[in-house]
Amino acid sequence: MKERLDHKELEERIAKFWEDEGIYSFRNDGPDKVYSIDTPPPTISGLIHLGHAFSYSQADFVARYKRMRGYNVFYPFGFDNNGIPTELFVEKTYGTTAEKEGREKFIGLVGGETAKFAEMYKSTWRSIGISVDWSLLYNTISEEVQKITQLSFIKLYRMGREYRMLLPTIWCPKEGTALSQMELKDKSLKSRFVTISFSDQIKIATTRPELLPACVAIFVNPDDTKNSVHVGKIVKVPIFGHEVKVIADRRVDMSKGTGMVMCCTFGDLTDIEWYKAYGLELKIVMDRHGKMLPEYFGGRKVREAREFVIEDLRKRGCIVDEKEIVHSVNVHERCGTEIEFLVKKQWFVKYLDMKQKLIELGRELEWNPKYMQVRYENWVNGLQWDWAISRQRLYGIPFPVWYCKKCDAPILALESDLPVNPMKDMPKSKCENCGSSEYVPEEDIFDTWATSSLTPLINARWGLDGKYMDSVYPMSLRPQAHDIISFWLFTTLVKCYLHTGKIPWKSVLISGHGLDSKGMPMHKSAGNIIEPRVVIEKYGADSLRHWASLSKLGDDASFQEKDVTSGARLVNKLWNTARFISMNDGKPEVKTRIMDRWIASRATAVMEKVTEMMEEYNYSGAKREADAFFWFFCDNYVEFIKYRLYGGDRSPIKTLREVFLIIIKMQAPFMPYITEEVYQELYMKQEGCKSIHISKWPGRGDMLVDPDALAAGDEAQKVIAYIRQWKHDRKIALNAEISEVVASKDFGELEADIRGAMNIRKLSKGHATSKVEGTDVSIEIMQ
RNA sequence: GGGCUCGUAGUCCAAUGGUAAGACAUCGCCUUCACACGGCGGAGACCGGAGUUCGAUUCUCCGCGGGCCCACCA
């Protein structure tokens, strides 16, 4: 074995071996002993950072452990290239927009970009040593996934779980496109705050006087003694003359303006809240490009209409106050345009009536860590609206639906035709409602969560050939981070339950985030991204995984280079121990001594503890135990038996090899490369297994438990530690010879071990006064 | 504002109803034939307050500070 380990060479060679040998291949031969994992598909947005390495490693610890426990592990991988981050990323890369390119062409661009990045992502995940079966790869914009998403829509509709309702959406009037909240930013803008007199007593301050024609109500705070007297009154809107009611609501800030506010459909998000809460009238005054409709202010643009209406109001004597203010408004981050709201019919999944059931389903899941369940329940309890699944965007999966031109009834695509694009394809049937064959296509696309919420079914190939449905669904595990319990976890539970009547997984594993060294999330904009590749090149993948293994499940962890360094040291130590064993190889003798049975018994105890922790998904506890035992083994047992080996006694070899095998098996889920290398060097032939990762996890009965040896060995170890300290206090080299030690007891067989370990010429029983702490033994040392 | 969570040596963190393990850094000793990417040893810590208890770092409450999610921000 080489003196120095070259982790780059090692990782390339071993990763290739795993792939060539299909070590992580899933065998689709029935549900027996299957462990299936609903891997999170990373978003394709051009970024891979240590946060990914952190959470994916944690799921991989579980996958590798289960594989060694004899499970047929179903561990797929997916790419999420269906969402807005991908869209924005591709738009930026090509300097274009989905609007400009059109849906078909843009999906083509995404496809090319995904293929490019998929290779990069794949190579990163491979080098981290994530043991997925790459033949189970999916991506969320693929034809197959489009088909599944559309099928889900059609089935839910037929179940009566979906409906359409008018809802405002955030809109960029400049680009004429719907926006997500992700695309908004705050901007401080100067604005004119004008106070308009509706009547003698009703004065309202607003920055949006042009929305006067869309005014549908006036709000005051019920605690506002001055203004609340007007509650219930009917007021005429200036210029337009329509009548609106004064309503009390706590969302009104009494200190702003006059304490009275007009609600228009729609000027801001509060207007939407009120509109929904009080079932107000809908008055649309603006088109999709931010122009007033022709009947209002002659179809002027918003800003011009504002000037126009202020002038008009002034002439009528309705302006009672006017001042410049600076306030924060939402703008489109790409072009800086102030957003508007556009009202459109949207699709909803109805689930508010299922709250109680959803709580119960959540309780059927095994939550790790347990407290994460509370977050889920709080979310479900706080739900106020059904789930809006349509988005007015171009890029994404289209709805498989057209509408009857005459009666607006939906015309669904045939399941056998999926996936369809209603903008290109034509419906096969006439309107079920009125028999008309004229139709208009749905232009909206699905919200990304409408697709992500199907990953267990996508993995099982539901709606396709369904070939994994029996063997992998419900899945054993959903690993994911805590920030999307309310999105991914919740929506998956909803949809999969509706489709299958079962919860989609047995357990969930909620990980934290890998943060930078200061505890900040890694973001491109923060400039604190560290790529896994960089760390792997410097320290190796095992070392990076070591860092990920140290933090408790669910906890965020800041990236500490020292933890990676200590991982590298551990790898080095494992390698050198293996070298030591290979140097002292040869035919082992069957006979053992107390010291051997001592370390073997200790190893068994540690093994049992580690196994128990792994079963509870407490990988960090398991890793700490395994690490601690390995260092203990090196510093004590290996040091204690050297005198025997050097003296030509081969009796420790058997134990040395057996215990070290346990050690590398406990480390295998965490440090797959070094353990594989050592296994192949030392144990492959003996065990008749080509990879440690499919070898058997040691169990009760494989190893010795000898309580007498355990007690005697512990005592000897403490005596040796005492003598070490004694030598140390006198600044004597640890291997320096001691002429005599007198002890209060006869160590029997262990006498030779103590003498050997500490280089003592004579060890005898006699009167001694220095007590060795933690034992009943007293000793006297004579230099 | 609400929910959850965290707050331990210079730094990062572990466990625990009876004052606390480890890693990095630091200091001292040891160049012993697997490993100086090593060994041995030293110094160094439980956010503040109240309560429960014989006893709290550990349990409860309050406060302060950090994180995540939600709500709010005419």
Side-chain angles (χ1 to χ4, degrees):
Chain A
M1 289 172 75
K2 282 179 293 186
E3 259 189 54
R4 279 267 185 263
L5 193 67
D6 174 357
H7 67 254
K8 275 190 210 170
E9 182 279 327
L10 170 79
E11 286 169 14
E12 266 163 45
R13 176 163 48 80
I14 299 281
K16 185 166 185 306
F17 165 81
W18 289 333
E19 200 155 78
D20 291 348
E21 297 291 325
I23 301 296
Y24 309 128
S25 295
F26 173 69
R27 305 179 307 279
N28 193 29
D29 49 15
D32 224 33
K33 267 224 136 180
V34 165
Y35 192 86
S36 49
I37 300 173
D38 187 19
T39 321
T43 301
I44 297 274
S45 61
L47 291 173
I48 307 177
H49 53 73
L50 286 178
H52 291 111
F54 180 75
S55 50
Y56 282 83
S57 292
Q58 294 179 352
D60 192 59
F61 303 151
V62 175
R64 287 183 183 276
Y65 169 71
K66 293 292 179 184
R67 207 175 279 115
M68 290 175 78
R69 288 307 299 256
Y71 285 95
N72 179 15
V73 175
F74 179 86
Y75 195 9
F77 202 81
F79 290 120
D80 186 9
N81 50 3
N82 162 46
I84 290 165
T86 305
E87 179 180 346
L88 297 178
F89 172 66
V90 171
E91 286 185 342
K92 210 164 182 182
T93 306
Y94 289 92
T96 185
T97 64
E99 280 267 308
K100 274 187 215 154
E101 302 296 325
R103 182 177 292 164
E104 298 291 312
K105 205 175 156 203
F106 192 80
I107 288 179
L109 285 182
V110 171
E113 209 54 22
T114 301
K116 210 161 84 191
F117 275 87
E119 274 316 301
M120 189 179 98
Y121 276 55
K122 189 173 165 182
S123 99
T124 301
W125 261 264
R126 261 187 56 188
S127 70
I128 298 169
I130 306 301
S131 60
V132 297
D133 180 347
W134 288 100
S135 71
L136 304 171
L137 185 70
Y138 66 88
N139 71 74
T140 55
I141 198 69
S142 69
E143 294 257 312
E144 288 189 334
V145 173
Q146 294 210 20
K147 181 176 176 182
I148 294 170
T149 304
Q150 294 187 338
L151 182 65
S152 163
F153 172 80
I154 289 173
K155 287 194 182 290
L156 292 180
Y157 182 79
R158 301 240 186 263
M159 276 178 224
R161 280 276 155 208
E162 284 166 335
Y163 63 92
R164 287 172 89 203
M165 194 186 99
L166 282 170
L167 190 82
T169 181
I170 307 168
W171 194 266
C172 173
K174 186 176 169 194
E175 297 189 13
T177 176
L179 302 177
S180 68
Q181 289 206 320
M182 286 172 63
E183 295 165 277
L184 301 185
K185 64 177 181 190
D186 287 344
K187 195 170 166 185
S188 281
L189 281 182
K190 265 198 274 185
S191 197
R192 245 154 112 192
F193 201 43
V194 294
T195 305
I196 302 166
S197 169
F198 278 50
S199 73
D200 287 348
Q201 285 156 332
I202 312 286
K203 322 264 186 221
I204 289 165
T206 179
T207 56
R208 303 291 308 267
E210 75 279 12
L211 291 179
L212 220 44
C215 175
V216 291
I218 289 169
F219 282 91
V220 298
N221 195 303
D223 298 333
D224 185 338
T225 46
K226 200 178 83 202
N227 288 318
S228 57
V229 297
H230 304 302
V231 171
K233 283 186 184 165
I234 304 291
V235 183
K236 262 194 180 178
V237 175
I239 304 178
F240 300 93
H242 60 281
E243 296 183 326
V244 296
K245 203 172 172 184
V246 179
I247 303 172
D249 191 284
R250 293 192 188 280
R251 277 168 275 208
V252 177
D253 181 349
M254 294 182 267
S255 64
K256 236 171 204 174
T258 58
M260 306 183 95
V261 53
M262 64 175 186
C263 170
C264 307
T265 53
F266 293 97
D268 62 39
L269 291 160
T270 315
D271 289 342
I272 297 173
E273 304 267 316
W274 283 328
Y275 164 72
K276 283 195 260 192
Y278 297 96
L280 300 172
E281 193 187 344
L282 178 67
K283 290 198 149 197
I284 295 171
V285 296
M286 198 185 299
D287 72 7
R288 53 194 286 149
H289 298 291
K291 279 165 87 172
M292 306 302 290
L293 296 178
E295 57 267 45
Y296 304 108
F297 314 122
R300 283 176 167 83
K301 282 188 170 175
V302 167
R303 289 196 164 270
E304 291 166 20
R306 190 174 303 162
E307 296 307 317
F308 184 86
V309 73
I310 290 173
E311 207 41 53
D312 192 352
L313 287 164
R314 191 171 289 139
K315 277 183 201 151
R316 294 167 192 253
C318 292
I319 301 280
V320 293
D321 190 31
E322 199 174 339
K323 59 183 171 190
E324 290 281 318
I325 58 160
V326 174
H327 66 155
S328 156
V329 295
N330 281 318
V331 298
H332 182 194
E333 66 167 0
R334 193 159 54 199
C335 64
T337 311
E338 286 181 66
I339 56 150
E340 294 292 353
F341 297 90
L342 194 79
V343 177
K344 221 192 141 288
K345 267 194 179 174
Q346 311 270 14
W347 281 100
F348 288 83
V349 172
K350 184 173 136 192
Y351 58 35
L352 278 184
D353 59 322
M354 292 169 63
K355 273 168 134 176
Q356 193 47 44
K357 183 69 194 173
L358 289 169
I359 298 269
E360 284 164 22
L361 293 173
R363 288 180 183 164
E364 284 179 38
L365 284 171
E366 181 201 275
W367 291 82
N368 301 286
K370 186 84 184 89
Y371 64 78
M372 293 292 180
Q373 187 185 344
V374 181
R375 296 195 185 187
Y376 170 82
E377 295 199 1
N378 286 341
W379 169 258
V380 176
N381 282 325
L383 286 172
Q384 308 234 25
W385 294 292
D386 283 329
W387 178 15
I389 54 167
S390 52
R391 293 291 180 271
Q392 293 67 53
R393 299 190 65 97
L394 235 98
Y395 175 63
I397 299 177
F399 278 73
V401 62
W402 300 262
Y403 305 102
C404 173
K405 210 166 187 172
K406 278 195 180 147
C407 69
D408 200 34
I411 306 163
L412 294 168
L414 300 177
E415 290 187 8
S416 55
D417 287 344
L418 301 179
V420 299
N421 178 355
M423 305 278 278
K424 265 175 67 182
D425 303 324
M426 293 188 342
K428 294 266 174 71
S429 53
K430 290 184 175 180
C431 174
E432 284 174 27
N433 190 35
C434 72
S436 165
S437 53
E438 285 191 288
Y439 64 90
V440 284
E442 171 61 87
E443 295 180 13
D444 287 358
I445 54 130
F446 285 101
D447 173 31
T448 185
W449 297 108
T451 296
S452 319
S453 56
L454 294 165
T455 53
L457 296 173
I458 292 169
N459 282 319
R461 298 183 60 81
W462 176 84
L464 304 173
D465 52 25
K467 71 174 174 181
Y468 296 130
M469 215 48 205
D470 292 338
S471 48
V472 310
Y473 189 93
M475 301 188 80
S476 312
L477 186 73
R478 154 61 73 87
Q480 64 159 77
H482 55 63
D483 56 337
I484 50 173
I485 289 173
S486 50
F487 295 97
W488 194 34
L489 194 150
F490 168 71
T491 57
T492 308
L493 197 55
V494 170
K495 272 213 180 188
C496 291
Y497 173 71
L498 287 173
H499 286 305
T500 67
K502 292 179 199 162
I503 52 170
W505 335 272
K506 292 184 191 78
S507 306
V508 293
L509 187 75
I510 308 292
S511 67
H513 291 289
L515 310 170
D516 75 5
S517 61
K518 294 185 189 100
M520 300 297 288
M522 291 191 193
H523 278 309
K524 206 176 198 174
S525 56
N528 60 354
I529 298 253
I530 304 173
E531 291 179 74
R533 169 172 72 71
V534 175
V535 179
I536 290 171
E537 266 185 37
K538 193 168 170 195
Y539 297 103
D542 287 337
S543 309
L544 179 61
R545 294 168 63 104
H546 176 81
W547 162 65
S549 73
L550 292 177
S551 74
K552 254 189 313 185
L553 180 64
D555 277 10
D556 293 343
S558 59
F559 177 71
Q560 300 298 327
E561 198 151 339
K562 70 173 184 63
D563 289 333
V564 185
T565 308
S566 74
R569 294 211 171 119
L570 179 60
V571 169
N572 180 60
K573 191 83 172 172
L574 284 164
W575 178 246
N576 279 300
T577 309
R579 281 179 60 224
F580 177 76
I581 291 173
S582 77
M583 286 168 179
N584 292 288
D585 221 348
K587 207 173 176 195
E589 290 178 30
V590 180
K591 72 169 188 203
T592 55
R593 295 174 59 88
I594 292 174
M595 270 302 184
D596 304 325
R597 298 193 293 280
W598 166 68
I599 198 71
S601 302
R602 277 198 152 228
T604 302
V606 170
M607 185 71 231
E608 282 174 358
K609 202 165 174 188
V610 165
T611 303
E612 200 177 297
M613 287 172 155
M614 288 305 279
E615 284 298 321
E616 291 166 352
Y617 299 98
N618 179 7
Y619 56 80
S620 59
K623 178 70 158 91
R624 281 169 208 277
E625 285 291 327
D627 286 4
F629 180 70
F630 172 55
W631 291 101
F632 180 86
F633 165 81
C634 290
D635 299 343
N636 294 284
Y637 181 70
V638 175
E639 293 304 322
F640 296 171
I641 58 156
K642 276 181 176 172
Y643 86 98
R644 286 158 66 190
L645 288 170
Y646 297 158
D649 176 5
R650 292 217 301 270
S651 66
I653 292 175
K654 180 173 178 284
T655 304
L656 188 60
R657 286 181 57 92
E658 281 178 1
V659 173
F660 190 55
L661 178 60
I662 302 254
I663 287 167
I664 62 166
K665 287 206 174 184
M666 290 192 292
Q667 289 290 348
F670 305 105
M671 304 189 133
Y673 289 103
I674 182 65
T675 52
E676 181 75 299
E677 179 74 349
V678 169
Y679 184 80
Q680 296 195 357
E681 286 278 350
L682 298 179
Y683 299 105
M684 187 171 66
K685 276 190 193 150
Q686 167 194 322
E687 288 217 312
C689 179
K690 63 186 170 186
S691 166
I692 192 171
H693 301 296
I694 48 173
S695 74
K696 194 170 159 287
W697 185 261
R700 198 179 281 265
D702 293 0
M703 289 285 303
L704 182 80
V705 185
D706 180 341
D708 295 338
L710 202 53
D714 280 348
E715 190 178 71
Q717 191 251 327
K718 281 176 185 137
V719 170
I720 291 168
Y722 181 91
I723 299 169
R724 270 181 182 159
Q725 175 84 54
W726 183 89
K727 282 186 170 179
H728 180 264
D729 291 346
R730 282 155 188 77
K731 300 192 195 282
I732 299 168
L734 288 177
N735 62 340
E737 195 184 62
I738 291 174
S739 57
E740 189 176 1
V741 172
V742 176
S744 60
K745 73 173 275 189
D746 182 357
F747 288 105
E749 189 196 291
L750 286 167
E751 180 207 320
D753 294 305
I754 296 168
R755 282 179 39 228
M758 284 286 98
N759 196 10
I760 299 162
R761 202 182 304 156
K762 190 180 168 199
L763 173 60
S764 52
K765 183 169 186 273
H767 179 73
T769 52
S770 307
K771 190 154 187 298
V772 177
E773 211 175 318
T775 69
D776 296 329
V777 184
S778 296
I779 61 172
E780 228 51 73
I781 304 167
M782 280 147 270
Q783 195 169 355

